[in-house]
Amino acid sequence: IRQKDIIGVMRHVAENFVRYELAPPLEATTPLPEDLASWFATWRGNIGYQLHDLEIHSTGDLAYAHGLAHITGEKNNGEPNPDLWYRTTFGLRQIEGHWHFTHVHESVPFKMDGSFQAAVDLKP
């Protein structure tokens, strides 16, 4: 992700990868390489991407991980440069001796004041 390496990302993704990403729709249906290419094109240089408080739990060939993700960097399309924290959960499966992502779920809380706005200003 940091180096915008689509091939590198795809090496770690299972064939039937399911994505619930921050951006609509509810479930991502565009092939991941296409989504990554479009998203990576909106960044100037490398992307600041860090996982914090990541906990990994596994048994046999299944695992899940959860924590907070922090994304920063310089946008090249006129959008403000992000400094965004969000929640992330990964499902993983060991296939032929290698761990692969089978599921990712990203979310931000929404304000419960009736506005239903995403609370993108939160920091840990």
Side-chain angles (χ1 to χ4, degrees), residues 79-93:
E79 294 179 19
N81 294 335
D83 182 359
L84 174 67
W85 287 87
Y86 61 93
R87 305 173 292 197
T88 190
T89 302
F90 304 107
L92 300 106
R93 185 169 161 222

Side-chain angles (χ1 to χ4, degrees), residues 46-113:
N46 290 342
I47 300 170
Y49 177 78
Q50 297 177 340
L51 296 173
H52 295 264
D53 302 325
L54 188 67
E55 290 190 29
I56 303 169
H57 305 274
S58 67
T59 182
D61 65 350
L62 297 175
Y64 73 93
H66 58 86
L68 299 175
H70 185 211
I71 193 162
T72 59
E74 187 176 349
K75 300 296 273 185
N76 63 15
N77 58 2
E79 294 179 19
N81 294 335
D83 182 359
L84 174 67
W85 287 87
Y86 61 93
R87 305 173 292 197
T88 190
T89 302
F90 304 107
L92 300 106
R93 185 169 161 222
Q94 194 171 36
I95 303 168
E96 298 179 6
H98 300 280
W99 288 99
H100 296 272
F101 291 93
T102 57
H103 175 78
V104 65
H105 185 113
E106 302 168 337
S107 67
V108 294
F110 68 89
K111 296 180 181 176
M112 302 295 286
D113 60 2

